[in-house]
Amino acid sequence: MSAKTVTTVFAHGAWADESSWDKVVRLLQSNDIKAVTFRLPLSSLSDDTAELDKVLERIHGPVVLVGHAYAGAVIASTHSAKVRALVYVAGLAPDQGETVADVFYRYEHDDKAPKLAPDSDGLIRLPAEAFSSAFAQHATPQEQQALAAAQLPISPACITVPVGLPLWKRVPAWYLLAEQDHMIPERTQRFMAERMQARISAYPVDHMPSVTAPELVASVIVDAVKQSKV
């Protein structure tokens, strides 16, 4: 499959937005790989999947889906026949009948992980200080501040509903495993990646390598694009 015929579509995770992919997108575009980013409503897993499906409807030709963290569940929930590969960036990959929360809390988090609970409006937000201690500890202070300012809260409805048959059971998956992730434990990521039989690339990066190590993220995506078959 020629890289020029493929479109890479990026789904951001909780407490981020589509701008979190900007560095990776620029790298792919410099290699003549098409890229599309979009914003998830983070209101429910079904809403987020519907938003992804709308994006996929507008794309002609094969697609490689890229999902960060929570969005791993989103990219595996579409049934679009255009998808040729899935790329997980520290992504969550519940199996059929599991919830996102089930896999997120499968193994114990370390003491740098923030405590998460809904606010008075029922949405889960990340404490501002967590962006420097757990979410993107390898980012610059300016990047951490920008991430905190742009964060999008997530609804419990995104993470408490069991998923259907995930797409990773039908299409190949790649997994960037973040070894210094304080949001999703390395052990949890490895369990999910191995269960999917994904092609694993493990690096000493934080939870947001799209910001702090974009070259590594881009290299995994390029590999998925080149090796996926139409």
Side-chain angles (χ1 to χ4, degrees):
M1 179 163 59
S2 168
K4 291 186 178 181
T5 68
V6 180
T7 300
T8 52
V9 176
F10 292 82
H12 63 82
W15 312 301
D17 68 5
E18 64 274 24
S19 69
S20 62
W21 295 113
D22 285 354
K23 292 181 181 181
V24 177
V25 166
R26 287 195 292 269
L27 289 168
L28 294 180
Q29 290 174 337
S30 70
N31 284 284
D32 293 325
I33 297 175
K34 293 179 286 187
V36 173
T37 63
F38 68 104
R39 177 167 294 197
L40 291 171
L42 299 179
S43 48
S44 71
L45 180 57
S46 60
D47 288 348
D48 292 335
T49 305
E51 193 66 27
L52 170 60
D53 285 337
K54 290 178 186 177
V55 173
L56 295 177
E57 286 173 5
R58 298 193 295 268
I59 294 173
H60 300 287
V63 170
V64 170
L65 287 181
V66 186
H68 172 243
Y70 158 71
V74 179
I75 64 173
S77 295
T78 183
H79 297 290
S80 173
K82 297 175 183 178
V83 180
R84 300 293 184 266
L86 302 174
V87 179
Y88 290 78
V89 180
L92 291 163
D95 200 349
Q96 186 172 13
E98 293 178 337
T99 69
V100 172
D102 286 337
V103 286
F104 182 75
Y105 290 110
R106 182 177 181 87
Y107 296 114
E108 186 177 358
H109 289 66
D110 63 31
D111 57 4
K112 293 186 178 180
K115 303 299 181 184
L116 301 173
D119 284 349
S120 58
D121 61 1
L123 300 177
I124 305 169
R125 292 175 172 80
L126 202 63
E129 61 273 14
F131 286 89
S132 59
S133 63
F135 197 79
Q137 69 269 24
H138 296 168
T140 66
Q142 292 76 19
E143 288 170 333
Q144 291 164 355
Q145 291 169 9
L147 286 166
Q151 75 157 299
L152 299 175
I154 186 169
S155 167
C158 295
I159 63 174
T160 56
V161 176
V163 306
L165 185 68
L167 188 57
W168 51 260
K169 293 198 171 182
R170 294 191 289 109
V171 303
W174 277 252
Y175 200 104
L176 190 154
L177 195 156
E179 297 174 323
Q180 297 179 6
D181 192 333
H182 296 301
M183 297 296 298
I184 303 173
E186 176 188 4
R187 185 181 178 191
T188 301
Q189 294 182 45
R190 188 169 294 278
F191 163 77
M192 293 182 293
E194 291 178 349
R195 183 170 65 174
M196 288 191 290
Q197 299 182 341
R199 305 182 193 199
I200 301 171
S201 299
Y203 299 111
V205 295
D206 61 17
H207 184 65
M208 284 295 290
S210 61
V211 173
T212 61
E215 295 85 0
L216 296 178
V217 177
S219 70
V220 174
I221 297 169
V222 169
D223 186 57
V225 168
K226 289 181 176 178
Q227 293 197 44
S228 299
K229 304 298 182 183
V230 177

